[in-house]
Amino acid sequence: MAAARKSIHGEWSSRWVFILAATGSAVGLGSIWRFPYVTGENGGGAFVLIYLLCVAAVGLPIMMAETLIGRRGRQSPINSLKTLAKEEGLSSNWQFLGWLGVLAGFIVLSFYSVVAGWAVAYIFYVGGGAFAEASVDMSGAQFDALTGSAWRMLGWHSLFMLTTVVIVARGVKGGLEQAVKWLMPALFVLLVVVVGYAMSIGDVGAAIDYLFTPDFSQVTRSSVLAALGQAFFSLSLGMGAIMIYGSYLPASASIPKTIGLVAICDTLVALLAGLAIFPLVFGFGLEPGSGAGLVFVSLTIAFGHMPGGQVFGALFFALLSVAALTSAISLLEPIAAWLVEAMHWSRRRASSVAGLGAWLLGVGSLLSFNYWSHIKPFGRNFFEWSEFLSTTVMLPVGGLLVATFAGWRMSRASTLDELGLPPGVFYSAWRFLVRIVAPLGVLVILLNSLDVIG
Ligand code: PHE
């Protein structure tokens, strides 16, 4: 069965490398940039609690499902689903679920690289002292100057995408594995340093209170949905990223234990990112609910006024860039692997072509901040359309179909075998979550975000 099939792309050296790689995929702009500001917009503690519940009840079972599909298929998401559908006697149309994931990942990569480019640029801006004694207006102007200049953004976007392509071109063991082995410990050290700095200099009490004292009067239905959506994006679900990483997981590794650890690490990093950001936000009297600009516009003001802010601010953006890079490689890998399988291209060629395509699409996104900002078919610019279609529509649809495939269409025997669990309470709990709870949860986010229910 699974142990008999081998991936032509290689295998991680151990389950620990998979844990590093999958945590690297999960921890990214979503955990460090998005989680704090979404928490801020949704009132803090109670949102955090609901988020944790969503990770456990919806995220975790779907993540296990993706991993088991990947490991059993041992190919790119498209071909893994094709193979498994055939083995289970199902329609070959299931391969379109693989297509959906790969396409969604391609679109996410295109704009992800643009935003990651901002993080890279900010290492130099903050480190170079651009925010020393900055006022709110100055900080906003700095951000507008970057997004207003298509050329500057093009430079950072190209640099980021090129780095991603180089890593993926070097293969599973020589590229991805090496990258995560160096970058993940670096990420951890940077995180600890930045959290330590924020706690020693900011208002820790207020931050802890804000993050961990739930105030349920702040909870609305939209915050529940935001928590579910955030859990999904943060765990890298619905895009084939975890599926392809699962296809390189050694057969002997226990999926539930491994994935449990990945979800715990991702959640810890998101909480630590909160502990890096909110002490500064409160210590400096900033507004926690200021939205997507929280990190780039608000936090930089704090760095500009605090002792050592120039150095630690630069380290913070280095952290964000590294986190984004280990996520970006997991978005490029499924496409590159498929091109290698289907076209028999070399890895180098496959990753260059896929990276070039995503780069080109990303140019559309970066132009939406300047030259194309007035082009808004149906109320959204190119960047907003890319984000909406991939993360709001394709990602939950993908997750729903993954849950359906693993929970309802694959046989009980296959999933039992692949998860490596004894028949019993744990397996039954997983099956219940993946068949009932996760699909219902995802369906609700989807219908709500498409304004079918509002
Ligand atoms: N999980 C990543 C983040 O938090 C984003 C991502 C989504 C990466 C889907 C890969 C696949 O930034």
Side-chain angles (χ1 to χ4, degrees):
M1 309 281 314
R5 202 157 20 227
K6 272 205 159 350
S7 167
I8 59 164
H9 311 289
E11 193 175 288
W12 305 118
S13 298
S14 71
R15 77 181 258 261
W16 291 104
V17 177
F18 170 87
I19 291 172
L20 287 183
T23 305
S25 168
V27 172
L29 298 170
S31 342
I32 301 176
W33 164 65
R34 198 168 184 274
F35 176 76
Y37 87 73
V38 178
T39 302
E41 284 175 339
N42 287 284
F47 175 84
V48 172
L49 208 64
I50 299 169
Y51 172 76
L52 295 179
L53 204 73
C54 293
V55 167
V58 180
L60 201 60
I62 295 190
M63 202 177 199
M64 283 165 62
E66 275 204 32
T67 315
L68 87 82
I69 294 171
R71 187 167 73 175
R72 210 168 178 77
R74 290 273 188 225
Q75 295 154 74
S76 66
I78 297 170
N79 286 326
S80 282
L81 278 152
K82 201 167 160 183
T83 308
L84 292 191
K86 201 163 165 200
E87 270 179 12
E88 302 276 334
L90 306 171
S91 156
S92 62
N93 285 337
W94 278 105
Q95 67 175 291
F96 290 111
L97 168 55
W99 280 102
L100 184 76
V102 170
L103 189 65
F106 184 73
I107 301 173
V108 171
L109 179 60
S110 74
F111 67 80
Y112 202 83
S113 168
V114 173
V115 178
W118 298 346
V120 183
Y122 266 66
I123 304 175
F124 299 97
Y125 293 174
V126 178
F131 292 93
E133 305 301 324
S135 63
V136 178
D137 288 345
M138 279 159 70
S139 181
Q142 177 81 29
F143 187 65
D144 292 343
L146 172 62
T147 53
S149 162
W151 287 109
R152 272 211 247 175
M153 275 209 282
L154 188 70
W156 298 115
H157 166 54
S158 309
L159 177 70
F160 185 83
M161 191 66 87
L162 187 70
T163 314
T164 309
V165 168
V166 168
I167 295 174
V168 173
R170 298 170 69 97
V172 177
K173 274 224 167 79
L176 276 65
E177 182 160 328
Q178 292 306 321
V180 297
K181 262 168 111 172
W182 290 99
L183 294 177
M184 293 310 288
L187 186 100
F188 182 73
V189 172
L190 284 171
L191 190 62
V192 170
V193 169
V194 174
V195 172
Y197 169 73
M199 290 184 123
S200 66
I201 218 151
D203 188 344
V204 195
I208 292 187
D209 197 43
Y210 187 71
L211 282 171
F212 300 111
T213 310
D215 170 5
F216 284 97
S217 68
Q218 300 269 356
V219 175
T220 60
R221 198 180 54 200
S222 80
S223 46
V224 176
L225 295 166
L228 204 51
Q230 173 63 21
F232 231 74
F233 187 74
S234 182
L235 292 174
S236 300
L237 300 177
M239 302 205 190
I242 294 301
M243 208 181 277
I244 190 89
Y245 277 10
S247 77
Y248 308 143
L249 179 65
S252 57
S254 148
I255 290 180
K257 278 191 202 150
T258 310
I259 289 299
L261 215 54
V262 172
I264 289 173
C265 289
D266 181 54
T267 308
L268 278 181
V269 172
L271 293 176
L272 281 174
L275 284 179
I277 291 171
F278 287 115
L280 299 182
V281 167
F282 291 119
F284 201 70
L286 300 169
E287 176 50 52
S290 60
L294 183 65
V295 165
F296 292 104
V297 181
S298 308
L299 202 61
T300 43
I301 305 172
F303 286 132
H305 285 81
M306 289 177 170
Q310 205 165 319
V311 173
F312 286 96
L315 287 178
F316 174 83
F317 285 102
L319 165 79
L320 196 57
S321 307
V322 169
L325 184 61
T326 54
S327 298
I329 56 179
S330 76
L331 288 164
L332 186 59
E333 177 64 20
I335 319 165
W338 178 76
L339 288 172
V340 170
E341 287 166 14
M343 310 288 192
H344 303 290
W345 285 358
S346 68
R347 237 193 191 266
R348 243 191 160 160
R349 182 162 178 200
S351 36
S352 310
V353 170
L356 193 67
W359 176 83
L360 210 60
L361 203 61
V363 171
S365 279
L366 70 83
L367 290 176
S368 347
F369 291 92
N370 34 72
Y371 294 110
W372 288 0
S373 59
H374 59 287
I375 307 178
K376 289 185 159 185
F378 300 101
R380 286 190 171 87
N381 65 28
F382 194 92
F383 176 80
E384 288 159 346
W385 268 116
S386 304
E387 210 216 317
F388 175 78
L389 280 179
S390 56
T391 61
T392 314
V393 183
M394 296 162 92
L395 178 148
V397 170
L400 186 64
L401 291 172
V402 164
T404 311
F405 186 78
W408 295 95
R409 304 304 290 147
M410 280 179 84
S411 72
R412 191 185 145 86
S414 310
T415 51
L416 198 59
D417 170 50
E418 199 58 54
L419 285 178
L421 283 172
V425 57
F426 280 119
Y427 178 75
S428 305
W430 172 77
R431 205 159 148 90
F432 173 71
L433 290 174
V434 91
R435 293 183 120 193
I436 313 284
V437 178
L440 272 180
V442 178
L443 205 63
V444 171
I445 335 180
L446 189 66
L447 294 181
N448 185 78
S449 54
L450 298 181
D451 283 334
V452 179
I453 51 172

